[in-house]
Amino acid sequence: MKVLFATPEIAPWVKTGGLGDVAGALPPALRQAGVDLRVLVPYYPALRIAFPEDKALEVVALGDFGGTFADATLRIARTSNGIPLMLLDCPEYYDRDGNPYLGPDGADWPDNHLRFGLLSRVAAWLGSSANHLPWRPDIVHCHDWQTGLAPAYLKLLPDARARSLITVHNLAFQGLFGPHTLPELALPAHAWGVDGVEFYGHLSFLKAGLIYADAITTVSPTYAVEIQTDEEGMGMAGLLRHRAEELSGIINGIDTEVWNPARDAHIPFAYDIDSIAAKKQNKAALQREVGLAVRDDLPLLGVVSRLTHQKGLDLIAAIERQLAALPAQLVVLGNGDKALEAEFRLLAERHPGQFAVRIGFNESLAHRIEAGADIFLMPSRFEPCGLNQMYSLRYGTPPVVRATGGLADTVVDGVNGFVFREASAEALLAAIRRAAASWRDRKAWQAMQITGMRSDVGWAKPAAQYAALYGKLAQ
Ligand code: ADP
Ligand code: GLC
């Protein structure tokens, strides 16, 4: 079975969040499960450096796709772990520094519809009889809105052959553009409408995917249920209920090589279940690194997150005084919403030595927070899956999470972490208090750490579920 994995990000080269991690780690697991898989991803600057032009195994010219798309070529390369990459080379669209979605001013790139429309269009082309390469996928596996038009092209074009699957990593990002983009994207006029790509007067890439894909998955069983409710369905609940038969949840795994405290080059002191005590040394090193008082008598709470409404971090800011009085230390690494960034900066200024805040994206520090913190916080309002709670389990850093989406599916209250229900500052504080009390009970705490570190959070099981779904789709 041949599968094309079409993605706008891929770790370790291009990552803005969990989708990058998933695209880095799921393909190798799928290859291990026997799937003949290739990854299609834009040829961003970081990939140009990692896989230079002159090292590409093969270069394929692409024809004219109509609309207002720029010319592009495909460069085929291979990662060190043997994953064939199809690098979509269109310098005009992708050879830009910085974030894949945002310009230096923090606003969306104005041509995102063409940039990700082209990615979708090429994914569909690969799955069509127009593809003259020896390799043609039976299934095109799309991820989020950025590849959401691929299923539409596959349904609307006469020469399409492949079946399609879309995985929703986050229903909040819907890929909305004005109606003028329809002809620019070479979509037929009849695709405009409630049964097509139109969503309240906009063209929605995500809705297109949900309408036209042969199957839909999302990244946890609980989120698959939640998004069918009007409260959590972000305007798409009716459509998702309509497609309930083809919708399922497959929980994410994590890359257990990259996130392995026994062999993590980012952390100063390696440890495993038999040497959890080394967490203490990682804690002291982290406290020094971020300017906290080096104390082992206070629990250190850790956060690594996009700073957005979704993640509920305003609830942490709201209990500033109570956390300071608990007393607990806090280290926050994140970026995103400017108001939240400013709020956290102030919080750190008001509590020097007790609260530390690093604004920015720092992969290496993220590892040291997982290793050095005692307790990890994820008070998300919604969370399709969440990866950091799983990194925390593996690093012996019991997470405090809200019972939503994948957090509810991976954390069991009192067993490997702490779970609270209501999205309120009081409920979060009560859960943190419970966690802090439990932390002082060294024996019980260690038992909880070991349970977490032993949990099976790898990709083998989820990859087998995807492989089974591909098999069903290809029939
Ligand atoms: P989401 O994809 O919604 O942001 P996930 O928990 O699935 O949430 O994945 C987030 C990923 O991005 C994790 O690997 C996390 O460590 C990483 N991450 C988020 N913010 C930062 C940051 N500021 N610096 C470093 N890594 C970050
Ligand atoms: C999204 C979600 C997150 C999930 C990630 C990877 O960004 O917000 O919950 O873990 O995708 O699937």
Side-chain angles (χ1 to χ4, degrees):
M1 195 167 21
K2 299 189 190 67
V3 176
L4 180 74
F5 193 101
T7 176
E9 319 187 356
I10 181 167
W13 305 284
V14 187
K15 159 174 165 184
T16 70
L19 171 54
D21 285 333
V22 171
L26 174 54
L30 287 167
R31 299 269 300 185
Q32 288 234 309
V35 178
D36 176 4
L37 175 134
R38 295 187 175 198
V39 177
L40 173 70
V41 61
Y43 199 27
Y44 301 111
L47 290 166
R48 282 179 188 275
I49 294 167
F51 306 95
E53 270 182 45
D54 53 338
K55 296 243 172 60
L57 303 177
E58 203 182 322
V59 183
V60 181
L62 296 169
D64 183 0
F65 294 122
T68 55
F69 289 126
D71 293 338
T73 44
L74 272 183
R75 293 178 190 275
I76 300 172
R78 211 173 257 277
T79 65
S80 56
N81 54 0
I83 305 298
L85 292 183
M86 307 189 110
L87 301 162
L88 178 54
D89 189 6
C90 177
E92 188 183 330
Y93 288 174
Y94 310 123
D95 196 7
R96 300 177 190 175
D97 284 329
N99 187 291
Y101 315 118
L102 312 174
D105 55 354
D108 291 345
W109 294 111
D111 55 353
N112 273 349
H113 63 294
L114 292 171
R115 299 174 69 238
F116 297 106
L118 182 69
L119 179 63
S120 302
R121 182 63 188 84
V122 172
W125 176 81
L126 282 163
S128 76
S129 56
N131 169 1
H132 48 77
L133 303 173
W135 190 88
R136 191 174 79 205
D138 305 302
I139 288 162
V140 174
H141 186 174
C142 305
H143 297 271
D144 274 355
W145 73 265
Q146 296 91 331
T147 49
L149 285 189
Y153 290 121
L154 281 168
K155 278 281 167 351
L156 298 166
L157 296 175
D159 57 358
R161 294 290 176 273
R163 312 261 293 158
S164 63
L165 163 65
I166 185 162
T167 296
V168 180
H169 295 263
N170 196 330
L171 202 64
F173 301 116
Q174 304 187 332
L176 299 176
F177 302 96
H180 65 279
T181 58
L182 190 82
E184 293 183 21
L185 292 161
L187 285 165
H190 69 82
W192 188 261
V194 274
D195 296 329
V197 302
E198 189 253 348
F199 185 66
Y200 298 103
H202 286 82
L203 186 155
S204 165
F205 276 48
L206 181 65
K207 186 196 165 194
L210 300 180
I211 289 264
Y212 294 107
D214 295 301
I216 304 168
T217 62
T218 183
V219 288
S220 68
T222 295
Y223 194 58
V225 173
E226 288 170 346
I227 56 179
Q228 294 179 57
T229 66
D230 292 335
E231 297 72 39
E232 315 238 19
M234 310 241 167
M236 308 266 182
L239 167 55
L240 289 162
R241 284 197 293 269
H242 180 70
R243 300 223 54 196
E245 294 269 302
E246 294 92 24
L247 167 65
S248 59
I250 299 180
I251 194 89
N252 285 332
I254 64 168
D255 189 324
T256 50
E257 297 289 314
V258 174
W259 295 93
N260 177 359
R263 271 197 306 270
D264 184 337
H266 297 293
I267 69 173
F269 303 96
Y271 62 97
D272 60 18
I273 287 183
D274 300 319
S275 54
I276 305 186
K279 259 185 87 67
K280 249 191 201 165
Q281 291 155 280
N282 284 298
K283 178 175 177 178
L286 175 65
Q287 285 167 324
R288 252 177 246 117
E289 176 178 357
V290 298
L292 291 172
V294 180
R295 292 181 61 171
D296 192 36
D297 59 328
L298 303 183
L300 172 53
L301 314 177
V303 174
V304 178
S305 183
R306 291 186 289 118
L307 300 180
T308 63
H309 184 74
Q310 170 189 346
K311 302 293 179 179
L313 299 174
D314 49 303
L315 303 179
I316 297 178
I319 52 170
E320 169 185 355
R321 267 188 316 106
Q322 294 89 329
L323 288 183
L326 199 59
Q329 290 184 330
L330 173 71
V331 55
V332 176
L333 167 64
N335 61 356
D337 187 289
K338 296 298 159 209
L340 266 176
E341 287 183 356
E343 196 168 342
F344 274 104
R345 276 204 183 94
L346 284 176
L347 194 116
E349 275 170 28
R350 283 193 293 265
H351 306 271
Q354 191 174 3
F355 294 171
V357 171
R358 290 288 175 277
I359 301 298
F361 197 95
N362 186 336
E363 180 78 31
S364 186
L365 179 56
H367 287 247
R368 287 191 292 283
I369 292 178
E370 287 293 0
D374 294 303
I375 298 166
F376 197 87
L377 306 182
M378 282 182 87
S380 307
R381 290 204 163 74
F382 68 95
E383 195 62 78
C385 179
L387 299 175
N388 273 113
Q389 82 279 17
M390 292 193 268
Y391 302 152
S392 303
L393 293 177
R394 198 151 158 80
Y395 279 67
T397 312
V400 172
V401 307
R402 195 171 96 72
T404 181
L407 299 175
D409 291 338
T410 52
V411 183
V412 183
D413 190 59
V415 175
N416 60 3
F418 301 86
V419 183
F420 65 100
R421 301 218 145 258
E422 208 190 310
S424 71
E426 295 72 37
L428 168 64
L429 179 62
I432 293 176
R433 281 193 202 284
R434 281 198 294 129
S438 177
W439 174 77
R440 294 191 183 279
D441 177 350
R442 292 301 157 113
K443 230 173 136 199
W445 190 254
Q446 201 174 349
M448 184 180 272
Q449 287 179 302
I450 289 174
T451 305
M453 291 174 84
R454 287 213 172 112
S455 42
D456 177 11
V457 286
W459 270 110
K461 265 193 210 154
Q465 288 176 279
Y466 279 111
L469 180 57
Y470 296 154
K472 230 169 83 187
L473 274 175
Q475 272 165 20

